[in-house]
Amino acid sequence: VDDTLSSKLVAFADDTTVMGSDLNNEVLFRKINHDLKTIHNWLLPNDLLVNENKCNFIEFTNHNKKRDTSHLIKINKSI
């Protein structure tokens, strides 16, 4: 799965972090959502699930840049 993603995966034990970056928020969120869908599609046939209640999203941005909250991160169809 890792070779097909635009994001970087960092895994330790049963925790995985998906990290992405882009200067354009819309592009970033599109990439992250695409990668999460790819990961989800890999997990299903391997009988693995993501506990959506334990998932978090953190956005790091330049303090001078206004935060754009119009985009959403989705796991499968859940926000």
Side-chain angles (χ1 to χ4, degrees), residues 25-38:
N25 273 356
E26 185 176 335
V27 172
L28 172 62
F29 282 75
R30 192 176 327 119
K31 286 180 184 178
I32 295 289
N33 281 319
H34 177 269
D35 289 349
L36 289 173
K37 183 176 182 179
T38 301

Side-chain angles (χ1 to χ4, degrees), residues 37-52:
K37 183 176 182 179
T38 301
I39 293 166
H40 175 78
N41 289 340
W42 180 87
L43 292 171
L44 287 179
N46 290 289
D47 293 324
L48 299 168
L49 298 173
V50 172
N51 185 341
E52 296 168 14

